[in-house]
Amino acid sequence: MAMATATRQHLRTLKLIRRNDFLYADQHSISTFMAMALTLIGVFAFVLLVMGSPLG
């Protein structure tokens, strides 16, 4: 779901760049959110593995 949203945002930005009157407007970065979420998932999984959790 998040990858689809990021792709849609990217395509919208490309469409705006193609226009002659493009003005850059800072947006919340979905890729930054995705990177943070994946890092947190990875850290959580690593902690479970180190602790020998029955979930892992």
Side-chain angles (χ1 to χ4, degrees):
M1 177 76 165
M3 290 300 289
T5 305
T7 302
R8 182 171 180 249
Q9 179 184 7
H10 178 71
L11 292 174
R12 286 179 49 208
T13 302
L14 288 177
K15 185 187 290 185
L16 288 173
I17 289 173
R18 288 188 193 112
R19 292 177 33 190
N20 290 335
D21 60 343
F22 176 72
L23 178 63
Y24 178 76
D26 191 21
Q27 301 174 0
H28 295 290
S29 175
I30 293 175
S31 58
T32 302
F33 170 75
M34 288 297 298
M36 291 186 330
L38 290 173
T39 301
L40 289 174
I41 290 169
V43 168
F44 182 70
F46 179 74
V47 169
L48 286 178
L49 285 173
V50 169
M51 291 176 48
S53 173
L55 296 177

